[in-house]
Amino acid sequence: MFKNRIFKRIYTNKTSLAGFMLVAFFALVALFAPWLAPVHNSNNPYQMPQRSYEIAPQPPSGQNWFGTTEQQYDLYYGVVWGARLAFEIGVTVTFFAFLIGLCVGTIAAYFGGKIDELLMRLTDIVFAVPSLVLAMVIAAMLGPDIKNMMIALTAVAWPSYARLIRGDILSVKRRDYVTAARTLGARGPRILLRHILPNSIYPSVVVASLDIGYVVLTAASLSFLGLGAQPGTADWGQLIAMARNWVLGTSQNPLAYWYTVAIPGGAIFLFVLGWNLLGDAFRDILDPRQV
Amino acid sequence: MNAAIEIQHLYKTYSRGQWFGGGHETPVLKDVSLVLPANRVLGLVGESGCGKSTLCKVLLGIEKPTSGTVLVENQNVAKISKTQFKNLRRVMQVVYQDPYSSLDPRMTVRQLLSEPLDIHGLYPQKTARTKFLKELLSAVGLAPNYLERYPHEFSGGQRQRISIARALTLDPKILIADEPVSALDVSVQAQILNLLRDISRARKLAMLFVTHDFAVARFLCDDIAVMYQGRIVEKAPAQELFTHPLHPYTRMLLAAVPQVGKKMRGASTPAAACGPNTEGACSFASRCPQAGSACRQTQLQEITPQHWCACSHLPEGENK
């Protein structure tokens, strides 16, 4: 019943259909990356092939479909494998952030009182610092590396899930069927796992899956600042970072190197746009106040 | 007489602690003493907020009593161990008011009815359990093939039948019904009341039936206790209470029951319009048509055999 409603809504609404198509397109690109852009360094498929050591980017050509960026890294390879890396980062970070948020939110809501107060003030502290700044500090402390960047992103993403799940559990906890389970003799773990979580986790799961776009955007920001992927990695943020010197082009032609910015930038733009459109559709469906 | 539930001088006070400054205390139950005899239906009648549901929660062990004792099958609810309480739950079960929120929406009828069996380790064998569940559904007037359906596929009355079936899975001796029909349409109310009456007779249940509706209480109950602001103000066998109501509050409530072909007269004063009560005074005094604020009688007294009332302003001809 529920799934049909979501799919029907996605098919009938043009913007949500566009979002779904965009995300599906990037998912296919990520899935078939080894066929779309054959691996050239089998130790690290995310390492972009370097055509030569010349500094200036080269425009799109038969050999390099999307052109090359600074130091002759192939943009086509970078965008295709970047899609795979984007999904990897987005899914991993969201999964772990959700897991931490789930544990913290559940413990806070279930036990309540002092524990709740303590855990929620902790999440407030994380919330109080702008998330990008906090992620930058953590990433800089751990050292520039994709894995460290993912840790930093997870560390700033979990509080929103903790809050969301806590709220949902608190509302479900008071329902009569939870009390009914208690009067039947059920103990805490059984009530939590069989009654409370199945009735409170679903909105959070959907919200989490739709936050992937935002996580990828933040990851790109960190890579752009040099706190994530290293030069030569097929990462969209990294590709934009390498285009930094070529944004303005030459004095005769300000748009001479447009492809170095527009292609990876466009990939990020479309990827995040897709998730956001899909997210809006889901939020409309899940919000009972909107008809 | 064999008592299924015995409540002695029960007090329940909700206190709200605050981070800064003192807490705030709200007394909900004041000196409640009641006996639910085995195999009888006791009606607990009172207006919203008088403490009826709190009394149920204390009986079910969801809330702890502030003082006083609650004996269920001669076991003190507040004193016994968790394991003993779990066993007690097989004896005492409950039907809730709202059939829409008391059934987990993500469970099928089979899962809902199986849960108490799982918890208490009954009918572990699958075919025997299915047979038992189907018999149970028939007993509450539902088709046995409803087992695999979800609660949202049922109407309010059917859901309440499922709720009753769930309460009966453990074959209890005591059933607490917390306003089980007040959320239902009047036509459905009658069906559920009939079902509860038949079941309580067939299974020889002791039932505490909480309601705010005298008509419902009259239909179902053997004895009736009237509650006002956390106190029992009158208790008597049902027939006696309806023919000779003694307490001014009971009489006010009975006069407020709408009847076809009878003009309503003398609307009662709403509780909110009353001034604060003097300490130790009868809490009904400020609404009472017969008493001043200094009326101090709060203890129940046996006026005529089996008929207890906490008021000195008795109708004429009903002297002690």
Side-chain angles (χ1 to χ4, degrees):
Chain A
M1 173 201 75
F2 194 69
K3 278 177 186 159
N4 290 341
R5 199 153 58 102
I6 287 184
F7 282 120
K8 198 177 174 190
R9 187 69 182 260
I10 287 172
Y11 284 128
T12 48
N13 185 334
K14 275 180 191 154
T15 51
S16 55
L17 184 63
F20 181 72
M21 303 262 276
L22 278 171
V23 171
F25 169 74
F26 278 106
L28 287 176
V29 169
L31 202 62
F32 294 108
W35 288 273
L36 292 170
V39 180
H40 109 106
N41 174 357
S42 56
N43 288 332
N44 178 9
Y46 290 118
Q47 180 69 42
M48 286 188 287
Q50 208 169 2
R51 303 300 179 201
S52 71
Y53 292 95
E54 202 182 316
I55 299 276
Q58 297 294 316
S61 66
Q63 195 202 1
N64 306 308
W65 294 350
F66 288 177
T68 60
T69 187
E70 193 176 73
Q71 294 180 331
Q72 307 309 312
Y73 287 111
D74 184 15
L75 269 176
Y76 172 71
Y77 190 93
V79 167
V80 169
W81 282 86
R84 203 177 169 110
L85 191 59
F87 270 103
E88 206 177 298
I89 292 173
V91 170
T92 316
V93 168
T94 312
F95 176 77
F96 282 106
F98 178 77
L99 212 62
I100 296 171
L102 178 70
C103 294
V104 173
T106 307
I107 292 169
Y110 188 74
F111 291 103
K114 291 250 157 61
I115 298 173
D116 182 26
E117 203 68 39
L118 189 78
L119 289 174
M120 283 302 113
R121 294 301 79 80
L122 188 73
T123 61
D124 283 346
I125 290 169
V126 181
F127 261 126
V129 185
S131 61
L132 184 61
V133 176
L134 186 59
M136 275 168 62
V137 171
I138 298 171
M141 265 166 30
L142 296 172
D145 173 38
I146 291 182
K147 199 184 285 172
N148 290 342
M149 179 181 75
M150 292 204 274
I151 293 172
L153 289 173
T154 309
V156 298
W158 66 266
S160 56
Y161 305 124
R163 241 185 211 184
L164 198 62
I165 290 164
R166 174 180 171 269
D168 283 331
I169 290 181
L170 283 183
S171 80
V172 169
K173 207 175 129 178
R174 302 210 157 244
R175 306 255 168 95
D176 278 350
Y177 56 78
V178 176
T179 320
R182 261 208 283 170
T183 51
L184 290 170
R187 297 272 170 84
R190 183 191 185 92
I191 293 174
L192 189 64
L193 293 176
R194 297 211 46 183
H195 296 283
I196 296 181
L197 279 181
N199 283 294
S200 56
I201 204 174
Y202 204 70
S204 314
V205 171
V206 174
V207 168
S209 65
L210 297 165
D211 272 354
I212 289 174
Y214 175 74
V215 167
V216 168
L217 192 65
T218 319
S221 316
L222 289 180
S223 286
F224 178 77
L225 294 167
L227 294 168
Q230 288 309 289
T233 309
D235 176 89
W236 294 340
Q238 176 56 37
L239 287 175
I240 293 185
M242 288 200 285
R244 203 166 6 184
N245 294 330
W246 310 94
V247 174
L248 277 180
T250 59
S251 51
Q252 287 85 35
N253 182 5
L255 295 176
Y257 303 113
W258 63 271
Y259 45 89
T260 58
V261 184
I263 287 173
I268 295 175
F269 171 75
L270 291 176
F271 186 87
V272 177
L273 178 71
W275 281 107
N276 283 354
L277 292 178
L278 206 57
D280 282 347
F282 274 113
R283 231 148 277 175
D284 287 351
I285 296 163
L286 285 177
D287 192 349
R289 279 163 299 182
Q290 292 183 352
V291 181
Chain B
M1 200 166 13
N2 197 359
I5 298 179
E6 196 173 345
I7 305 168
Q8 293 159 349
H9 305 292
L10 176 69
Y11 286 82
K12 173 69 191 174
T13 303
Y14 283 108
S15 52
R16 205 170 134 186
Q18 276 163 357
W19 282 60
F20 304 104
H24 184 71
E25 295 210 323
T26 319
V28 180
L29 297 176
K30 300 165 212 160
D31 197 15
V32 173
S33 298
L34 262 185
V35 174
L36 171 61
N39 199 8
R40 274 177 90 86
V41 180
L42 171 65
L44 184 63
V45 186
E47 62 193 7
S48 302
C50 73
K52 296 172 300 199
S53 293
T54 305
L55 184 64
C56 291
K57 284 180 184 168
V58 174
L59 288 180
L60 294 164
I62 295 167
E63 299 281 357
K64 293 251 175 295
T66 308
S67 70
T69 49
V70 176
L71 302 175
V72 178
E73 298 270 298
N74 294 319
Q75 296 180 76
N76 188 334
V77 168
K79 296 264 168 65
I80 57 176
S81 71
K82 277 187 174 177
T83 323
Q84 284 172 308
F85 208 107
K86 192 176 164 184
N87 292 332
L88 201 57
R89 299 211 181 278
R90 290 180 59 170
V91 177
M92 176 172 61
Q93 272 303 315
V94 57
V95 177
Y96 290 89
Q97 175 177 13
D98 183 358
Y100 289 89
S101 70
S102 61
L103 301 173
D104 190 331
R106 290 188 180 274
M107 286 187 159
T108 60
V109 174
R110 179 192 291 276
Q111 288 170 320
L112 285 166
L113 298 182
S114 290
E115 183 162 44
L117 300 177
D118 286 336
I119 292 168
H120 294 273
L122 302 170
Y123 295 96
Q125 204 227 337
K126 206 184 165 198
T127 46
R129 176 176 288 193
T130 306
K131 184 166 171 278
F132 172 72
L133 293 181
K134 285 186 170 172
E135 283 169 7
L136 199 59
L137 281 186
S138 320
V140 297
L142 291 173
N145 58 359
Y146 282 172
L147 271 183
E148 311 307 329
R149 297 206 189 171
Y150 285 92
H152 66 80
E153 298 174 50
F154 295 100
S155 69
Q158 287 174 316
R159 280 163 167 252
Q160 202 59 303
R161 285 174 194 270
I162 297 170
S163 198
I164 292 169
R166 178 175 61 183
L168 295 177
T169 47
L170 299 173
D171 196 19
K173 287 279 151 278
I174 306 167
L175 193 64
I176 292 173
D178 187 0
E179 304 217 28
V181 296
S182 61
L184 303 174
D185 287 348
V186 176
S187 59
V188 182
Q189 281 191 5
Q191 297 170 13
I192 297 295
L193 288 173
N194 277 324
L195 175 67
L196 281 172
R197 188 171 64 173
D198 296 346
I199 283 173
S200 67
R201 282 181 187 167
R203 296 180 174 241
K204 299 201 183 334
L205 292 178
M207 179 153 69
L208 178 66
F209 188 89
V210 176
T211 182
H212 58 256
D213 188 340
F214 262 120
V216 165
R218 180 175 222 161
F219 174 79
L220 197 65
C221 302
D222 302 318
D223 306 293
I224 289 178
V226 181
M227 201 172 191
Y228 182 75
Q229 293 201 353
R231 278 183 202 280
I232 305 290
V233 294
E234 184 167 6
K235 59 185 176 189
Q239 202 52 47
E240 163 75 12
L241 188 96
F242 285 110
T243 45
H244 302 288
L246 293 183
H247 198 277
Y249 179 61
T250 314
R251 280 182 272 153
M252 187 186 272
L253 281 183
L254 282 171
V257 174
Q259 276 170 349
V260 177
K262 197 177 163 191
K263 226 176 186 182
M264 297 293 289
R265 57 186 171 78
S268 70
T269 324
C274 308
N277 285 308
T278 332
E279 192 67 31
C282 167
S283 49
F284 187 63
S286 53
R287 276 171 87 183
C288 186
Q290 286 158 359
S293 58
C295 208
R296 290 194 170 265
Q297 170 131 18
T298 55
Q299 294 300 316
L300 282 173
Q301 286 179 329
E302 195 163 16
I303 311 290
T304 55
Q306 304 267 344
H307 194 155
W308 296 69
C309 177
C311 186
S312 48
H313 296 272
L314 300 174
E316 280 176 33
E318 299 277 1
N319 289 322
K320 290 179 203 177

